[in-house]
């Protein structure tokens, strides 16, 4: 989709001129007040500002002489506080959205599938006011899906949820990403949520948006802000090639090595996303020192070394086609004499697969 969006509202100004992918998950990441909701609403057609130009696929949604209304754009929108019809049951809320979808030409995920993925079977006869915040949010996502969207816009759908409920919805969103080819724009101010799901990222602050970039590349780019964050973490897409039933751990291929991670068994083609946290890597010059667990060690090459603050150093590592970051100290860099091109061994602590 091509966006040329300009908003002036009092002292606030939003400018975005970019092309975003029409597949996978694009995260719109930035602090409160940055303009994320404004941008999403303009994209959905919920607010129109003069001078904007928006195209999706072959269709023009907004041009100087044209404004396609929201219901004709085929956009599913989920707000932070979901607005469901209070007098209708969950089933009726979904059916209402489904009825509108039946008039559309494009492919529709059917209601039983949506209900299964969003785990709503037990809730279908309940009214929205009897649901918890997390349950309402799941219904809202299901309802947006039932409207057969060509584009799903999620405005901080996880912001008000506790960790457990958030985890559940995150894994459901990953399933949506895997099962249906619906492009998703996910607004978030929490990097931990973004790293789980995102394929592309747009950074936004005070109305200024960065160019949309592949997430792993944006994360490992020293010239951008993400690599320098204390919670920096790089997603690496991997597959498992072994499972140990006794410990319930799976072996995944990571670049030129293998590591064991909790969970499984996973099929050889099952896509897994390994999240490698920069502050949970220990670097060593020797392969696997005696008395350590070789099951978490991956051979790497140092690609780059950069200072981040006074004592912190960020190391970009490459192993095969995988790239990730290690956050370490100036002391370690000098003790190991880390420099670009050096072969090292990364002890990957607490990598999580999703
Ligand atoms: P975000 O979603 O990133 O938190 P918003 O898009 O909601 O940011 O807001 C961007 C800016 O526009 C902020 O400065 C906010 O105060 C202002 N703003 C948002 N909604 C309105 C409104 N209805 N009227 C006037 N100003 C608004
Ligand atoms: Mg907002």
């Amino acid at each position: 989709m091509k966006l040329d969006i300009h908003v002036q509202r009092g002292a606030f100004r939003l400018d975005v001129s970019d092309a975003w992918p029409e597949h996978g998950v694009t995260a719109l990441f930035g602090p409160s007040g940055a303009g994320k909701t404004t941008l999403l609403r303009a994209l959905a057609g919920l607010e129109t500002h003069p001078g904007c130009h928006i195209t999706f696929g072959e269709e023009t949604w907004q041009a100087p002489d044209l404004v396609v209304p929201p219901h004709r754009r085929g956009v599913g929108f989920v707000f932070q506080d979901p607005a469901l019809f209070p007098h209708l049951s969950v089933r009726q809320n979904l059916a209402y959205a489904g009825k509108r979808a039946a008039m559309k030409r494009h492919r529709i995920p059917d209601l039983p599938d949506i209900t299964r993925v969003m785990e709503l079977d037990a809730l279908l006869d309940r009214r929205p006011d009897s649901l918890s915040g997390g349950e309402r949010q799941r219904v809202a996502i299901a309802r947006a899906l039932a409207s057969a969207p060509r584009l799903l816009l999620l405005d901080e759908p996880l912001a008000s949820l506790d960790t457990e409920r958030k985890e559940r919805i995150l894994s459901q969103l990953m399933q949506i990403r895997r099962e249906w080819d619906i492009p998703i724009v996910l607004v978030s101010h929490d990097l931990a949520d973004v790293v789980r799901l995102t394929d592309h990222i747009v950074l936004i602050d005070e109305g200024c948006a960065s160019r949309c970039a592949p997430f792993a590349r944006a994360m490992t780019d020293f010239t951008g802000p993400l690599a320098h964050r204390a919670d920096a973490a790089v997603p690496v897409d991997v597959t498992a090639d072994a499972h140990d039933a006794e410990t319930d751990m799976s072996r995944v291929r990571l670049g030129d090595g293998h590591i064991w991670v909790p969970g499984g068994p996973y099929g050889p083609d099952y896509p897994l996303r390994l999240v490698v946290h920069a502050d949970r890597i220990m670097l060593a010059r020797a392969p696997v020192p005696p008395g350590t667990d070789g099951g978490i060690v991956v051979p790497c090459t140092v690609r780059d070394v950069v200072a981040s603050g006074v004592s912190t150093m960020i190391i970009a590592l490459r192993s095969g086609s995988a790239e990730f970051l290690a956050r370490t100290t100036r002391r370690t860099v000098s003790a190991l004499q880390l420099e670009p091109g050096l072969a090292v061994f990364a002890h990957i602590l607490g990598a999580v697969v999703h």
Side-chain angles (χ1 to χ4, degrees):
M1 59 194 115
K2 290 213 182 78
L3 295 86
D4 210 343
I5 293 176
H6 308 280
V7 178
Q8 182 80 53
R9 192 166 49 209
F12 176 76
R13 178 158 186 89
L14 173 71
D15 289 297
V16 182
S17 296
D18 203 358
W20 292 1
E22 291 176 7
H23 58 86
V25 178
T26 301
L28 189 53
F29 181 69
S32 182
K36 305 183 294 296
T37 298
T38 305
L39 179 49
L40 233 51
R41 288 176 55 84
L43 188 52
L46 297 170
E47 53 186 78
T48 51
H49 300 271
C52 296
H53 204 286
I54 303 169
T55 60
F56 184 86
E58 304 287 293
E59 258 178 51
T60 300
W61 284 352
Q62 191 178 341
D65 54 351
L66 172 82
V67 177
V68 174
H71 65 275
R72 301 261 319 276
R73 298 188 186 195
V75 167
F77 207 116
V78 176
F79 302 92
Q80 187 173 338
D81 288 313
L84 301 167
F85 292 120
H87 59 290
L88 298 181
S89 68
V90 168
R91 189 193 307 277
Q92 290 165 329
N93 264 284
L94 298 182
Y96 182 86
K99 221 176 288 166
R100 283 185 40 201
M103 295 181 280
K104 297 182 183 166
R105 285 157 296 160
H106 41 277
R107 205 177 71 83
I108 302 169
D110 62 27
L111 275 179
D113 270 344
I114 294 170
T115 309
R116 170 181 56 79
V117 168
M118 298 311 297
E119 300 174 85
L120 295 176
D121 279 310
L123 305 178
L124 285 174
D125 295 315
R126 303 259 297 270
R127 292 278 182 88
D129 60 8
S130 75
L131 303 176
S132 71
E135 290 167 341
R136 265 204 297 276
Q137 202 54 278
R138 270 154 54 203
V139 176
I141 294 169
R143 190 178 60 169
L145 286 169
S147 72
R150 288 184 300 168
L151 171 65
L152 200 52
L153 303 177
L154 307 178
D155 193 357
E156 312 217 33
L158 308 165
S160 54
L161 304 179
D162 60 43
T163 312
E164 199 179 314
R165 298 197 163 87
K166 207 154 120 164
E167 281 301 311
R168 190 163 177 181
I169 294 186
L170 272 170
S171 70
Q172 291 165 340
L173 291 175
M174 290 172 86
Q175 208 171 337
I176 293 170
R177 168 173 171 269
R178 200 165 55 236
E179 292 202 12
W180 298 302
D181 194 17
I182 303 172
I184 297 176
V185 178
L186 172 73
V187 167
S188 180
H189 63 260
D190 187 344
L191 193 65
D193 299 342
V194 168
V195 75
R196 297 272 300 273
L197 270 177
T198 300
D199 303 296
H200 293 86
I201 189 163
V202 176
L203 304 172
I204 182 165
D205 198 7
E206 294 183 356
C208 288
S210 72
R211 299 297 301 268
C212 185
F215 179 59
R217 195 199 297 163
M219 196 77 227
T220 52
D221 174 10
F222 286 160
T223 64
L226 294 176
H228 297 271
R229 289 173 61 106
D231 59 354
V234 181
V236 185
D237 292 318
V238 297
T239 50
D241 61 4
H243 179 252
D244 176 48
E246 199 178 318
T247 53
D248 190 27
M249 293 186 83
S250 296
R251 194 176 71 163
V252 300
R253 175 163 200 93
L254 177 59
D256 293 330
H258 285 93
I259 63 167
W260 286 88
V261 294
Y266 306 104
D269 300 322
Y270 192 84
L272 297 169
R273 174 170 279 206
L274 190 69
V275 175
V276 181
H277 292 269
D279 64 350
R280 308 207 60 196
I281 291 187
M282 194 190 88
L283 295 173
R285 293 285 294 259
V288 182
T292 54
D293 175 9
I296 56 166
V297 181
V298 172
C300 306
T301 306
V302 173
R303 183 172 64 77
D304 213 348
V305 178
V306 74
S308 184
V310 180
S311 54
T312 304
M313 302 289 280
I314 318 286
I315 320 294
L317 298 163
R318 180 179 288 142
S319 181
S321 60
E323 290 211 17
F324 42 92
L325 298 175
R327 194 176 164 84
T328 183
T329 61
R330 205 173 275 279
R331 190 188 155 81
T332 299
V333 167
S334 101
L336 302 187
Q337 294 179 300
L338 297 178
E339 57 182 26
L342 186 76
V344 290
F345 296 85
H347 293 232
I348 299 185
L349 313 170
V352 182
V353 289
H354 301 289

